[in-house]
Amino acid sequence: MLLALLIWVFTVVIVWMFAGDYWTFPEAINEHGRQYDQHFATTLYITGAIFFVSQIALGWTIFKYRDNGGRATYSHGNNKLEVLWTSAAAVLFIGAVLLSTRIWAGVHLTPPQGEVVEIEAVAKQFLFNFRYAGADGKFGKLDIKQINDAAGNPFGIDEKDPAGKDDVVNSNIRVPKGKPVRLILRSRDVIHNFFVRELRVKQDMVPGMVIPLHFQADKVGKYDVACSELCGLGHHQMRAELEVMEPADFEKWLQEEDAKLKAQ
Amino acid sequence: MASHATHVHTPPSGFIRKYVFSLDHKVIGKQYYFLALFSVFLGMFLSVLMRFHMTYPDAKVSWFESLWPVGAPGGVMTPELYLSLMTMHGTIMVFFVLTTAPQAGFGNFFLPIQIGAEDMAFPVLNMLSFWTTFLALLVMCAAFFVEGGAPLGGWTAYAPLSALGESAGPGQGMGMNLWILSIALFCGASLMGAINFIATTIDLRVPGMTLMRMPLTCWAWFVTAILSLLGFAVLLSAGILLLMDRTAGSSFFLPAGLVVNDQILDHRGGSPLLWQHLFWFFGHPEVYIAILPGMGLASNVLSVFARKPIFGYKAMVYAILAIGFLGFVVWGHHMFISGMNPYTSIAFSIMTMAIGVPSAIKTFNWVGTLWGAQIRLTTAMLFALGFVSLFVSGGISGIFLGQPGLDLYLHDTYFVVGHFHMIMGVAAIFGMFSGTFFWFPKMFGRMMNETLGKIHFYLTFIGVYAIFTPMHVLGIVGNPRRYADYKTFEFMGQLLNVHTFMTHAAIFTAVVQVLFVINLFWSMKKGAKAPDNPWEATSLEWSIPSPPPFDNFGGKHLTVQHGPYEYAVPGKEKDHVMQVDPA
């Protein structure tokens, strides 16, 4: 009795927690994010219905079929029912994953269209760094022997390569609004992760691997980049800022950084 | 199935052979049970400390400093101490509790009895596997006491963090070596146990105990043993490779070009993803190693106290087999965001959704078993019903995480923590509680206190929902897991009230467990004498005295005539037919 009641109360409270607006995603700032939210909602409806029906039914059986001194129904099962709920579960579950494949493909399998802003990212314990190709549009060669954090060279840009002279390095990432960005992710020591809630993307940064990630943000603002793969004792402090800028402001910022480099 | 008669041994007389280095599967089962009981309280203690730190990161607690002079200077817990508590909590709970109690504990005690055997197939191997597990636990606990303390890389020990040694952080030195050694020992012990379970199930069934007459518990232990055999072998190999990367200068998991603390490391050719593949090839079946015995037990207990045959016995068996098989082809869903080929993710996700189907079948069959029942709400039954509720709640969030598209955001957030604690943690633990209340009379010859048991159940049931449900909403807001505090990110700071609620719920739930311990030890000494068959159940263990004699069946040659769930049989005077009743 009490158990049936508890299960029902939990069911209602949980449905309330998920259906309400109290704890939700931050507003998405890209098309992928909005599709993500939509598919999340679809999955929530499907699973919510299964959750609700199963828990309510469980509570109901506990309430309804308490021992009253009689004898239970003698039944070893029902094959028709087995076939029915097996197929229903299969269709729902596989259906959900097939629907979500589009979202996955949008991030990982569809190359971005149009002119792409290319940015490199490198992570180390417990900092992110980002690199822009500068005025020449070319990234300078890298040489790990030349890595020098104190001298502002966390990437190890080769001093001898002229293409690297104007590379802009920054500990925060700035991107122009409405333009596709290809982010090339690397790590120097252990596995880190690039996670921006508002973009609905998360990608590990693995030493020894070069992993591309693309996105296109369409809302100006500042957003947190949080490391989401345990990387050591400073993991919880590993943060960068993603700033989405008006394209003109972005160009201006890049030119200013370039000018600073030339002045050195 | 035939040769059990040749397998006779006499009871030992000395204390050591009887209670310490015993060959008796019943004693070994209890040894495993108490090892897991110690471990679960240790693991829970660590989790309460972690929860406390989440809410009060700057609190000064003088005994923190007494326990960890380096990790908590001035009584304030450092991030590295927090991470080591987290690593040890996960490791101890997964290996020494979830893998140990349901399978090695209850399985050892009851598998032979439920199939009519006098002992396991290889008693010496059985003893050896327990003492190896014991040694593994000692080595694991020793990691707390060496220089640098326990490792901080999480129970998944992802390389390169786990492969680099001290330069990757305190605890990654000697502590990590001990961690790997302990896990390797544990793997060896589990392999020995798995072989024993498989051989016992195949060879030692009494006449009439066909596979399709085995209680679902035996099916679950059998399939779990197969999973252990295939999974732990791979983890053992992976552990040895990791140890070699750390101590012998090899590069299995370390790629070229590593720059750690401004030092260029001379490694090349290794792959961090290789560790993840090997680890999760074990790690995902491990989830089923933890939960399958609970599923078998819940099925059993539900049928007994519903006074009704299990709904769809065959479907249940096929579901266990399907879970066992599919459990080996879904490991990649832990790696959607790892940098693995994105097409591979799609393949793994379809397999993952497929494994949801047999899990759903089991749930529907449990509800089917209860439909039209005569439910006796004993404490064992309450915990089994709680298991079903938690299994549904924990399973449903898997439908989100199994889709790579949705995992893109939810991965490594508290949503995941809530998901696996619900299903692999507390659902499995509810299975153990149910098993304890159900089998205690047979194991110790006395009854547990039902009133105390019910109070303990209700408070725990409320407690676990209160701890783990909010984790899901934290995940939706985007709170990452494995963060030692939330000061760096403003949005996480705003979630502190949810964390505080969970911390209080965790402390409440932990305190409530004292009721269980009191009940357990009090009942062992003072509980009412248990009759042979207190629950009017049908399987073989209830046809012999409580506790069973040394050779279980007193030399009798049994023949099994009935299936395991003959309740409410029409036309019979009693409402149940025991498996050994005449045809």
PDB file of all heavy atoms in Angstrom, chain A residues 36 39 55 65 67-68 71 74 76 82 188 197 202 227-228, chain B residues 259 365 374-375 393 403 406 408 411-412 477 483 566 569 573:
ATOM      1  N   TYR A  36      18.814  19.571 -31.543  1.00  0.00           N
ATOM      2  CA  TYR A  36      19.106  18.722 -30.388  1.00  0.00           C
ATOM      3  C   TYR A  36      17.959  18.806 -29.385  1.00  0.00           C
ATOM      4  O   TYR A  36      17.430  17.798 -28.929  1.00  0.00           O
ATOM      5  CB  TYR A  36      20.420  19.183 -29.745  1.00  0.00           C
ATOM      6  CG  TYR A  36      20.831  18.360 -28.539  1.00  0.00           C
ATOM      7  CD1 TYR A  36      21.817  17.400 -28.642  1.00  0.00           C
ATOM      8  CD2 TYR A  36      20.213  18.539 -27.299  1.00  0.00           C
ATOM      9  CE1 TYR A  36      22.193  16.637 -27.553  1.00  0.00           C
ATOM     10  CE2 TYR A  36      20.569  17.778 -26.202  1.00  0.00           C
ATOM     11  CZ  TYR A  36      21.556  16.827 -26.329  1.00  0.00           C
ATOM     12  OH  TYR A  36      21.910  16.064 -25.243  1.00  0.00           O
ATOM     13  N   HIS A  39      14.922  16.943 -30.537  1.00  0.00           N
ATOM     14  CA  HIS A  39      15.007  15.484 -30.434  1.00  0.00           C
ATOM     15  C   HIS A  39      15.034  15.026 -28.983  1.00  0.00           C
ATOM     16  O   HIS A  39      14.500  13.973 -28.640  1.00  0.00           O
ATOM     17  CB  HIS A  39      16.218  14.928 -31.174  1.00  0.00           C
ATOM     18  CG  HIS A  39      16.237  13.436 -31.165  1.00  0.00           C
ATOM     19  ND1 HIS A  39      15.318  12.692 -31.867  1.00  0.00           N
ATOM     20  CD2 HIS A  39      16.990  12.555 -30.470  1.00  0.00           C
ATOM     21  CE1 HIS A  39      15.527  11.412 -31.622  1.00  0.00           C
ATOM     22  NE2 HIS A  39      16.528  11.298 -30.783  1.00  0.00           N
ATOM     23  N   GLN A  55       5.644   2.538 -14.183  1.00  0.00           N
ATOM     24  CA  GLN A  55       5.633   2.791 -12.738  1.00  0.00           C
ATOM     25  C   GLN A  55       4.208   2.771 -12.189  1.00  0.00           C
ATOM     26  O   GLN A  55       3.950   2.221 -11.110  1.00  0.00           O
ATOM     27  CB  GLN A  55       6.305   4.134 -12.406  1.00  0.00           C
ATOM     28  CG  GLN A  55       7.769   4.234 -12.802  1.00  0.00           C
ATOM     29  CD  GLN A  55       8.722   3.548 -11.824  1.00  0.00           C
ATOM     30  OE1 GLN A  55       8.309   2.759 -10.988  1.00  0.00           O
ATOM     31  NE2 GLN A  55      10.013   3.808 -11.964  1.00  0.00           N
ATOM     32  N   TYR A  65      -3.330  -6.246  -6.048  1.00  0.00           N
ATOM     33  CA  TYR A  65      -3.194  -7.701  -5.879  1.00  0.00           C
ATOM     34  C   TYR A  65      -2.538  -8.084  -4.556  1.00  0.00           C
ATOM     35  O   TYR A  65      -1.728  -8.990  -4.495  1.00  0.00           O
ATOM     36  CB  TYR A  65      -2.433  -8.293  -7.072  1.00  0.00           C
ATOM     37  CG  TYR A  65      -3.139  -8.067  -8.382  1.00  0.00           C
ATOM     38  CD1 TYR A  65      -2.608  -7.216  -9.351  1.00  0.00           C
ATOM     39  CD2 TYR A  65      -4.370  -8.683  -8.632  1.00  0.00           C
ATOM     40  CE1 TYR A  65      -3.270  -6.988 -10.537  1.00  0.00           C
ATOM     41  CE2 TYR A  65      -5.040  -8.451  -9.828  1.00  0.00           C
ATOM     42  CZ  TYR A  65      -4.479  -7.606 -10.769  1.00  0.00           C
ATOM     43  OH  TYR A  65      -5.142  -7.393 -11.945  1.00  0.00           O
ATOM     44  N   ASP A  67      -2.279  -9.808  -0.955  1.00  0.00           N
ATOM     45  CA  ASP A  67      -2.731 -11.114  -0.481  1.00  0.00           C
ATOM     46  C   ASP A  67      -4.041 -10.948   0.299  1.00  0.00           C
ATOM     47  O   ASP A  67      -4.104 -10.209   1.274  1.00  0.00           O
ATOM     48  CB  ASP A  67      -1.638 -11.686   0.430  1.00  0.00           C
ATOM     49  CG  ASP A  67      -1.959 -13.104   0.861  1.00  0.00           C
ATOM     50  OD1 ASP A  67      -2.923 -13.681   0.311  1.00  0.00           O
ATOM     51  OD2 ASP A  67      -1.241 -13.614   1.727  1.00  0.00           O
ATOM     52  N   ASN A  68      -5.086 -11.631  -0.177  1.00  0.00           N
ATOM     53  CA  ASN A  68      -6.345 -11.597   0.579  1.00  0.00           C
ATOM     54  C   ASN A  68      -6.769 -13.007   0.967  1.00  0.00           C
ATOM     55  O   ASN A  68      -7.942 -13.292   1.168  1.00  0.00           O
ATOM     56  CB  ASN A  68      -7.433 -10.875  -0.226  1.00  0.00           C
ATOM     57  CG  ASN A  68      -7.649 -11.547  -1.573  1.00  0.00           C
ATOM     58  OD1 ASN A  68      -7.106 -12.611  -1.834  1.00  0.00           O
ATOM     59  ND2 ASN A  68      -8.451 -10.936  -2.431  1.00  0.00           N
ATOM     60  N   ARG A  71      -6.239 -17.433  -3.918  1.00  0.00           N
ATOM     61  CA  ARG A  71      -5.185 -18.059  -4.701  1.00  0.00           C
ATOM     62  C   ARG A  71      -4.937 -17.215  -5.958  1.00  0.00           C
ATOM     63  O   ARG A  71      -5.883 -16.685  -6.551  1.00  0.00           O
ATOM     64  CB  ARG A  71      -5.623 -19.468  -5.089  1.00  0.00           C
ATOM     65  CG  ARG A  71      -4.457 -20.354  -5.474  1.00  0.00           C
ATOM     66  CD  ARG A  71      -4.872 -21.802  -5.540  1.00  0.00           C
ATOM     67  NE  ARG A  71      -4.549 -22.503  -4.304  1.00  0.00           N
ATOM     68  CZ  ARG A  71      -4.186 -23.793  -4.260  1.00  0.00           C
ATOM     69  NH1 ARG A  71      -4.124 -24.493  -5.365  1.00  0.00           N
ATOM     70  NH2 ARG A  71      -3.905 -24.376  -3.116  1.00  0.00           N
ATOM     71  N   TYR A  74      -3.226 -18.896 -12.040  1.00  0.00           N
ATOM     72  CA  TYR A  74      -2.159 -19.785 -12.492  1.00  0.00           C
ATOM     73  C   TYR A  74      -1.890 -19.515 -13.966  1.00  0.00           C
ATOM     74  O   TYR A  74      -2.676 -19.894 -14.830  1.00  0.00           O
ATOM     75  CB  TYR A  74      -2.560 -21.243 -12.260  1.00  0.00           C
ATOM     76  CG  TYR A  74      -1.462 -22.223 -12.624  1.00  0.00           C
ATOM     77  CD1 TYR A  74      -0.331 -22.357 -11.825  1.00  0.00           C
ATOM     78  CD2 TYR A  74      -1.568 -23.012 -13.763  1.00  0.00           C
ATOM     79  CE1 TYR A  74       0.672 -23.256 -12.148  1.00  0.00           C
ATOM     80  CE2 TYR A  74      -0.562 -23.916 -14.098  1.00  0.00           C
ATOM     81  CZ  TYR A  74       0.551 -24.027 -13.284  1.00  0.00           C
ATOM     82  OH  TYR A  74       1.548 -24.915 -13.609  1.00  0.00           O
ATOM     83  N   HIS A  76       1.504 -19.131 -16.867  1.00  0.00           N
ATOM     84  CA  HIS A  76       2.938 -19.124 -17.134  1.00  0.00           C
ATOM     85  C   HIS A  76       3.321 -18.069 -18.163  1.00  0.00           C
ATOM     86  O   HIS A  76       4.451 -18.035 -18.625  1.00  0.00           O
ATOM     87  CB  HIS A  76       3.403 -20.509 -17.595  1.00  0.00           C
ATOM     88  CG  HIS A  76       3.620 -21.442 -16.448  1.00  0.00           C
ATOM     89  ND1 HIS A  76       4.748 -21.439 -15.675  1.00  0.00           N
ATOM     90  CD2 HIS A  76       2.813 -22.399 -15.912  1.00  0.00           C
ATOM     91  CE1 HIS A  76       4.661 -22.363 -14.727  1.00  0.00           C
ATOM     92  NE2 HIS A  76       3.494 -22.961 -14.842  1.00  0.00           N
ATOM     93  N   GLU A  82       4.153 -11.296 -25.234  1.00  0.00           N
ATOM     94  CA  GLU A  82       5.624 -11.205 -25.347  1.00  0.00           C
ATOM     95  C   GLU A  82       6.030 -10.629 -26.701  1.00  0.00           C
ATOM     96  O   GLU A  82       6.863  -9.732 -26.784  1.00  0.00           O
ATOM     97  CB  GLU A  82       6.277 -12.588 -25.180  1.00  0.00           C
ATOM     98  CG  GLU A  82       6.025 -13.282 -23.856  1.00  0.00           C
ATOM     99  CD  GLU A  82       6.799 -12.694 -22.679  1.00  0.00           C
ATOM    100  OE1 GLU A  82       7.689 -11.851 -22.907  1.00  0.00           O
ATOM    101  OE2 GLU A  82       6.477 -13.069 -21.538  1.00  0.00           O
ATOM    102  N   ARG A 188      48.181  18.151 -25.480  1.00  0.00           N
ATOM    103  CA  ARG A 188      49.617  17.970 -25.309  1.00  0.00           C
ATOM    104  C   ARG A 188      49.974  16.853 -24.336  1.00  0.00           C
ATOM    105  O   ARG A 188      51.033  16.248 -24.443  1.00  0.00           O
ATOM    106  CB  ARG A 188      50.230  19.261 -24.757  1.00  0.00           C
ATOM    107  CG  ARG A 188      50.784  20.153 -25.813  1.00  0.00           C
ATOM    108  CD  ARG A 188      51.032  21.542 -25.290  1.00  0.00           C
ATOM    109  NE  ARG A 188      51.808  21.570 -24.049  1.00  0.00           N
ATOM    110  CZ  ARG A 188      52.188  22.693 -23.443  1.00  0.00           C
ATOM    111  NH1 ARG A 188      51.864  23.863 -23.963  1.00  0.00           N
ATOM    112  NH2 ARG A 188      52.862  22.648 -22.326  1.00  0.00           N
ATOM    113  N   ARG A 197      28.025  24.333 -23.582  1.00  0.00           N
ATOM    114  CA  ARG A 197      26.634  23.919 -23.371  1.00  0.00           C
ATOM    115  C   ARG A 197      25.718  24.482 -24.446  1.00  0.00           C
ATOM    116  O   ARG A 197      24.869  23.791 -24.991  1.00  0.00           O
ATOM    117  CB  ARG A 197      26.140  24.435 -22.009  1.00  0.00           C
ATOM    118  CG  ARG A 197      26.846  23.833 -20.820  1.00  0.00           C
ATOM    119  CD  ARG A 197      26.151  24.257 -19.541  1.00  0.00           C
ATOM    120  NE  ARG A 197      26.062  25.698 -19.421  1.00  0.00           N
ATOM    121  CZ  ARG A 197      25.095  26.352 -18.780  1.00  0.00           C
ATOM    122  NH1 ARG A 197      24.115  25.695 -18.208  1.00  0.00           N
ATOM    123  NH2 ARG A 197      25.082  27.669 -18.701  1.00  0.00           N
ATOM    124  N   LYS A 202      30.261  18.378 -27.510  1.00  0.00           N
ATOM    125  CA  LYS A 202      31.279  17.968 -26.565  1.00  0.00           C
ATOM    126  C   LYS A 202      32.196  17.047 -27.335  1.00  0.00           C
ATOM    127  O   LYS A 202      31.736  16.152 -28.038  1.00  0.00           O
ATOM    128  CB  LYS A 202      30.579  17.225 -25.440  1.00  0.00           C
ATOM    129  CG  LYS A 202      31.447  16.752 -24.332  1.00  0.00           C
ATOM    130  CD  LYS A 202      30.575  16.206 -23.207  1.00  0.00           C
ATOM    131  CE  LYS A 202      30.051  17.339 -22.357  1.00  0.00           C
ATOM    132  NZ  LYS A 202      29.225  16.885 -21.247  1.00  0.00           N
ATOM    133  N   CYS A 227      36.145  21.952 -19.496  1.00  0.00           N
ATOM    134  CA  CYS A 227      36.753  20.648 -19.755  1.00  0.00           C
ATOM    135  C   CYS A 227      35.851  19.584 -19.169  1.00  0.00           C
ATOM    136  O   CYS A 227      35.428  19.679 -18.026  1.00  0.00           O
ATOM    137  CB  CYS A 227      38.140  20.556 -19.128  1.00  0.00           C
ATOM    138  SG  CYS A 227      38.909  18.946 -19.434  1.00  0.00           S
ATOM    139  N   SER A 228      35.526  18.576 -19.964  1.00  0.00           N
ATOM    140  CA  SER A 228      34.603  17.538 -19.502  1.00  0.00           C
ATOM    141  C   SER A 228      35.202  16.149 -19.559  1.00  0.00           C
ATOM    142  O   SER A 228      34.485  15.170 -19.689  1.00  0.00           O
ATOM    143  CB  SER A 228      33.315  17.588 -20.316  1.00  0.00           C
ATOM    144  OG  SER A 228      32.618  18.774 -20.021  1.00  0.00           O
TER     145      SER A 228
ATOM    146  N   VAL B 259      53.904  16.266 -24.143  1.00  0.00           N
ATOM    147  CA  VAL B 259      54.656  17.267 -23.410  1.00  0.00           C
ATOM    148  C   VAL B 259      53.952  17.443 -22.073  1.00  0.00           C
ATOM    149  O   VAL B 259      52.888  18.042 -21.999  1.00  0.00           O
ATOM    150  CB  VAL B 259      54.700  18.609 -24.160  1.00  0.00           C
ATOM    151  CG1 VAL B 259      55.550  19.613 -23.399  1.00  0.00           C
ATOM    152  CG2 VAL B 259      55.231  18.408 -25.566  1.00  0.00           C
ATOM    153  N   ASN B 365       7.594  -8.515 -18.036  1.00  0.00           N
ATOM    154  CA  ASN B 365       7.298  -9.820 -17.442  1.00  0.00           C
ATOM    155  C   ASN B 365       7.174  -9.748 -15.919  1.00  0.00           C
ATOM    156  O   ASN B 365       6.416 -10.503 -15.329  1.00  0.00           O
ATOM    157  CB  ASN B 365       8.369 -10.838 -17.844  1.00  0.00           C
ATOM    158  CG  ASN B 365       8.112 -11.402 -19.227  1.00  0.00           C
ATOM    159  OD1 ASN B 365       6.998 -11.812 -19.538  1.00  0.00           O
ATOM    160  ND2 ASN B 365       9.127 -11.417 -20.058  1.00  0.00           N
ATOM    161  N   GLN B 374      -1.180 -12.774  -5.554  1.00  0.00           N
ATOM    162  CA  GLN B 374      -1.589 -12.646  -4.144  1.00  0.00           C
ATOM    163  C   GLN B 374      -0.338 -12.179  -3.407  1.00  0.00           C
ATOM    164  O   GLN B 374       0.383 -12.973  -2.808  1.00  0.00           O
ATOM    165  CB  GLN B 374      -2.051 -14.005  -3.603  1.00  0.00           C
ATOM    166  CG  GLN B 374      -3.374 -14.479  -4.137  1.00  0.00           C
ATOM    167  CD  GLN B 374      -4.532 -13.766  -3.459  1.00  0.00           C
ATOM    168  OE1 GLN B 374      -4.456 -13.415  -2.282  1.00  0.00           O
ATOM    169  NE2 GLN B 374      -5.606 -13.523  -4.190  1.00  0.00           N
ATOM    170  N   ILE B 375      -0.071 -10.887  -3.474  1.00  0.00           N
ATOM    171  CA  ILE B 375       1.242 -10.389  -3.056  1.00  0.00           C
ATOM    172  C   ILE B 375       1.420 -10.403  -1.545  1.00  0.00           C
ATOM    173  O   ILE B 375       0.589  -9.871  -0.807  1.00  0.00           O
ATOM    174  CB  ILE B 375       1.472  -8.953  -3.600  1.00  0.00           C
ATOM    175  CG1 ILE B 375       1.491  -8.987  -5.121  1.00  0.00           C
ATOM    176  CG2 ILE B 375       2.784  -8.389  -3.062  1.00  0.00           C
ATOM    177  CD1 ILE B 375       1.590  -7.625  -5.761  1.00  0.00           C
ATOM    178  N   SER B 393      13.453   3.253 -13.714  1.00  0.00           N
ATOM    179  CA  SER B 393      13.904   4.649 -13.659  1.00  0.00           C
ATOM    180  C   SER B 393      15.328   4.792 -14.183  1.00  0.00           C
ATOM    181  O   SER B 393      15.645   5.753 -14.893  1.00  0.00           O
ATOM    182  CB  SER B 393      13.849   5.165 -12.219  1.00  0.00           C
ATOM    183  OG  SER B 393      12.540   5.072 -11.732  1.00  0.00           O
ATOM    184  N   GLN B 403      21.972   7.228 -27.496  1.00  0.00           N
ATOM    185  CA  GLN B 403      21.921   7.896 -28.796  1.00  0.00           C
ATOM    186  C   GLN B 403      23.093   8.872 -28.899  1.00  0.00           C
ATOM    187  O   GLN B 403      23.164   9.830 -28.148  1.00  0.00           O
ATOM    188  CB  GLN B 403      20.612   8.677 -28.935  1.00  0.00           C
ATOM    189  CG  GLN B 403      19.381   7.833 -28.737  1.00  0.00           C
ATOM    190  CD  GLN B 403      18.109   8.656 -28.857  1.00  0.00           C
ATOM    191  OE1 GLN B 403      17.980   9.496 -29.723  1.00  0.00           O
ATOM    192  NE2 GLN B 403      17.180   8.411 -27.959  1.00  0.00           N
ATOM    193  N   LEU B 406      22.346  12.618 -28.725  1.00  0.00           N
ATOM    194  CA  LEU B 406      22.015  13.212 -27.429  1.00  0.00           C
ATOM    195  C   LEU B 406      23.193  13.144 -26.461  1.00  0.00           C
ATOM    196  O   LEU B 406      23.346  13.990 -25.583  1.00  0.00           O
ATOM    197  CB  LEU B 406      20.793  12.509 -26.823  1.00  0.00           C
ATOM    198  CG  LEU B 406      19.486  12.699 -27.589  1.00  0.00           C
ATOM    199  CD1 LEU B 406      18.329  12.025 -26.856  1.00  0.00           C
ATOM    200  CD2 LEU B 406      19.176  14.175 -27.797  1.00  0.00           C
ATOM    201  N   LEU B 408      26.097  13.777 -27.139  1.00  0.00           N
ATOM    202  CA  LEU B 408      26.962  14.919 -27.453  1.00  0.00           C
ATOM    203  C   LEU B 408      26.953  15.967 -26.347  1.00  0.00           C
ATOM    204  O   LEU B 408      27.919  16.700 -26.168  1.00  0.00           O
ATOM    205  CB  LEU B 408      26.471  15.597 -28.735  1.00  0.00           C
ATOM    206  CG  LEU B 408      27.042  15.111 -30.051  1.00  0.00           C
ATOM    207  CD1 LEU B 408      26.331  15.777 -31.190  1.00  0.00           C
ATOM    208  CD2 LEU B 408      28.538  15.400 -30.114  1.00  0.00           C
ATOM    209  N   HIS B 411      27.015  13.476 -22.227  1.00  0.00           N
ATOM    210  CA  HIS B 411      28.188  12.694 -21.845  1.00  0.00           C
ATOM    211  C   HIS B 411      28.981  13.388 -20.745  1.00  0.00           C
ATOM    212  O   HIS B 411      29.203  14.580 -20.790  1.00  0.00           O
ATOM    213  CB  HIS B 411      29.086  12.494 -23.077  1.00  0.00           C
ATOM    214  CG  HIS B 411      30.171  11.497 -22.833  1.00  0.00           C
ATOM    215  ND1 HIS B 411      30.054  10.185 -23.192  1.00  0.00           N
ATOM    216  CD2 HIS B 411      31.377  11.619 -22.240  1.00  0.00           C
ATOM    217  CE1 HIS B 411      31.153   9.537 -22.833  1.00  0.00           C
ATOM    218  NE2 HIS B 411      31.977  10.384 -22.252  1.00  0.00           N
ATOM    219  N   ASP B 412      29.405  12.588 -19.751  1.00  0.00           N
ATOM    220  CA  ASP B 412      30.226  13.118 -18.658  1.00  0.00           C
ATOM    221  C   ASP B 412      29.573  14.257 -17.886  1.00  0.00           C
ATOM    222  O   ASP B 412      30.253  15.088 -17.297  1.00  0.00           O
ATOM    223  CB  ASP B 412      31.621  13.544 -19.160  1.00  0.00           C
ATOM    224  CG  ASP B 412      32.628  12.412 -18.956  1.00  0.00           C
ATOM    225  OD1 ASP B 412      32.280  11.415 -18.306  1.00  0.00           O
ATOM    226  OD2 ASP B 412      33.771  12.525 -19.440  1.00  0.00           O
ATOM    227  N   VAL B 477      21.158  20.625 -17.089  1.00  0.00           N
ATOM    228  CA  VAL B 477      21.688  22.000 -17.044  1.00  0.00           C
ATOM    229  C   VAL B 477      23.143  22.016 -17.530  1.00  0.00           C
ATOM    230  O   VAL B 477      23.652  23.052 -17.932  1.00  0.00           O
ATOM    231  CB  VAL B 477      21.550  22.588 -15.633  1.00  0.00           C
ATOM    232  CG1 VAL B 477      22.002  24.040 -15.603  1.00  0.00           C
ATOM    233  CG2 VAL B 477      20.117  22.513 -15.153  1.00  0.00           C
ATOM    234  N   TYR B 483      34.064  17.049 -10.996  1.00  0.00           N
ATOM    235  CA  TYR B 483      34.573  18.371 -10.656  1.00  0.00           C
ATOM    236  C   TYR B 483      34.706  18.464  -9.145  1.00  0.00           C
ATOM    237  O   TYR B 483      33.767  18.156  -8.424  1.00  0.00           O
ATOM    238  CB  TYR B 483      33.594  19.457 -11.148  1.00  0.00           C
ATOM    239  CG  TYR B 483      33.917  19.992 -12.527  1.00  0.00           C
ATOM    240  CD1 TYR B 483      34.390  19.150 -13.516  1.00  0.00           C
ATOM    241  CD2 TYR B 483      33.749  21.351 -12.818  1.00  0.00           C
ATOM    242  CE1 TYR B 483      34.685  19.644 -14.776  1.00  0.00           C
ATOM    243  CE2 TYR B 483      34.039  21.848 -14.071  1.00  0.00           C
ATOM    244  CZ  TYR B 483      34.511  20.992 -15.050  1.00  0.00           C
ATOM    245  OH  TYR B 483      34.802  21.476 -16.294  1.00  0.00           O
ATOM    246  N   GLU B 566       6.195 -23.249  -9.580  1.00  0.00           N
ATOM    247  CA  GLU B 566       4.846 -23.817  -9.581  1.00  0.00           C
ATOM    248  C   GLU B 566       4.055 -23.321  -8.372  1.00  0.00           C
ATOM    249  O   GLU B 566       3.975 -23.971  -7.337  1.00  0.00           O
ATOM    250  CB  GLU B 566       4.930 -25.351  -9.597  1.00  0.00           C
ATOM    251  CG  GLU B 566       5.447 -25.906 -10.915  1.00  0.00           C
ATOM    252  CD  GLU B 566       4.553 -25.555 -12.096  1.00  0.00           C
ATOM    253  OE1 GLU B 566       3.314 -25.541 -11.943  1.00  0.00           O
ATOM    254  OE2 GLU B 566       5.095 -25.248 -13.184  1.00  0.00           O
ATOM    255  N   VAL B 569      -0.976 -23.687  -8.194  1.00  0.00           N
ATOM    256  CA  VAL B 569      -1.326 -24.744  -9.133  1.00  0.00           C
ATOM    257  C   VAL B 569      -2.762 -25.198  -8.871  1.00  0.00           C
ATOM    258  O   VAL B 569      -3.104 -25.530  -7.737  1.00  0.00           O
ATOM    259  CB  VAL B 569      -0.371 -25.945  -8.975  1.00  0.00           C
ATOM    260  CG1 VAL B 569      -0.639 -26.994 -10.034  1.00  0.00           C
ATOM    261  CG2 VAL B 569       1.070 -25.471  -9.016  1.00  0.00           C
ATOM    262  N   GLU B 573      -3.717 -29.105  -3.019  1.00  0.00           N
ATOM    263  CA  GLU B 573      -4.131 -28.593  -1.718  1.00  0.00           C
ATOM    264  C   GLU B 573      -3.271 -27.396  -1.308  1.00  0.00           C
ATOM    265  O   GLU B 573      -3.761 -26.325  -0.982  1.00  0.00           O
ATOM    266  CB  GLU B 573      -4.022 -29.698  -0.677  1.00  0.00           C
ATOM    267  CG  GLU B 573      -4.751 -29.354   0.614  1.00  0.00           C
ATOM    268  CD  GLU B 573      -4.452 -30.381   1.706  1.00  0.00           C
ATOM    269  OE1 GLU B 573      -4.137 -31.548   1.351  1.00  0.00           O
ATOM    270  OE2 GLU B 573      -4.503 -30.009   2.877  1.00  0.00           O
TER     271      GLU B 573
END
